Amino acid sequence: MNDAFLRACKGYKVRPVPIWLMRQAGRYLPEYQQIRGEVDFLTLCKTPELAAEVTLQPVDILGVDAAILFSDILIPAEAMGLELKFIEGQGPILSPTIRDKEGVSSLKTIDPKKDVPFVLDTIKILREKLKDKVPLIGFSGAPFTLATYMIEGGSTKSFFHTKRFMYENPKVFKELMNKLCSTTLSYLSAQIEAGVQAVQMFDTWAGILHQDEYQSFVLPFVQRIFDYLKSC
């Protein structure tokens, strides 16, 4: 198996050095577009055989050094009790929005084996198919990025409601972050148990924060996740 990626993660010198490139859900592959033309995005994420197939496409076609699980960062948000839709040209839509204590209290802590079994089934299929090829990377959205989608109800450029929540009700905002931190921990731990050999955590919107905001509202939760995962 090509383990260059895993050895690089552990600090070993490897040549060539593996690099990670952000991709937009395989849009550059006609093979992906063919499958995507037959099912909607969420169905693709929730059908293990299809999710495994599109995960394998870059490995088989491009010869990359690792496979990245095909899924979406908002899958746990749906499992926590929100309705998730993807609208063409608009992106993800989450409802209801979470902007107060009642909303935060309504969110449940997920049990990945019961709430997102399709993700774990996809991982098991992939580990079997990839055992003689390359490692498998799992991932999750980071708590803050998940929080922005829940608060805003989808994509935004202003993050008005997120900032307002942070400053007008910091205690409840941190309760939301704490709940999302627990969800992220259980979600990534379940992926590791299912067989992924590395995990990534995407904090897509952390860049909207000033350093002091990040250190106060975000860093403690990120650090808690990293500290726990070191023992997995």
Side-chain angles (χ1 to χ4, degrees), residues 142-145 166 173-174 177 203 206 209 212-224:
F144 178 74
T145 289
M166 287 170 57
F173 181 83
K174 289 184 178 180
M177 288 291 289
D203 215 348
L209 301 174
D212 56 344
E213 292 174 328
Y214 184 84
Q215 289 178 339
S216 175
F217 289 102
V218 179
L219 183 59
F221 302 99
V222 172
Q223 193 63 58
R224 176 176 147 197

Side-chain angles (χ1 to χ4, degrees), residues 103-177:
V104 173
S105 298
S106 72
L107 295 172
K108 70 174 187 176
T109 301
I110 71 169
D111 178 347
K113 292 182 180 179
K114 294 181 180 179
D115 297 321
V116 289
F118 49 89
V119 174
L120 309 183
D121 289 341
T122 301
I123 291 169
K124 292 171 184 176
I125 293 172
L126 286 167
R127 278 307 308 273
E128 178 63 28
K129 292 182 178 294
L130 288 169
K131 61 183 179 182
D132 297 321
K133 295 181 179 180
V134 296
L136 175 62
I137 305 170
F139 70 90
S140 174
F144 178 74
T145 289
L146 293 176
T148 66
Y149 281 105
M150 289 183 170
I151 297 166
E152 302 292 341
S155 301
T156 180
K157 293 182 179 180
S158 68
F159 297 91
F160 171 81
H161 296 291
T162 301
K163 290 289 189 83
R164 182 174 182 175
F165 195 167
M166 287 170 57
Y167 281 103
E168 290 189 354
N169 209 335
K171 182 178 179 180
V172 177
F173 181 83
K174 289 184 178 180
E175 288 178 12
L176 173 60
M177 288 291 289

Side-chain angles (χ1 to χ4, degrees), residues 78-106:
E78 184 183 46
M80 293 177 76
L82 300 184
E83 181 182 9
L84 173 62
K85 296 179 181 179
F86 284 87
I87 299 177
E88 198 71 31
Q90 188 173 351
I93 301 295
L94 282 170
S95 61
T97 53
I98 305 299
R99 296 177 183 173
D100 54 31
K101 187 172 181 63
E102 289 71 25
V104 173
S105 298
S106 72

Side-chain angles (χ1 to χ4, degrees), residues 1-7 55 59 64-68 127 130-131 133-137 195-198:
M1 183 181 78
N2 175 0
D3 66 346
F5 172 76
L6 294 180
R7 289 188 288 120
T55 299
V59 177
V64 294
D65 291 315
I68 302 173
R127 278 307 308 273
L130 288 169
K131 61 183 179 182
K133 295 181 179 180
V134 296
L136 175 62
I137 305 170
V196 300
Q197 293 142 290

Side-chain angles (χ1 to χ4, degrees), residues 21-28 32-33 70:
L21 296 175
M22 181 68 176
R23 67 182 179 92
Q24 291 295 324
R27 292 178 184 174
Y28 54 86
Y32 170 83
Q33 290 297 336
F70 183 87

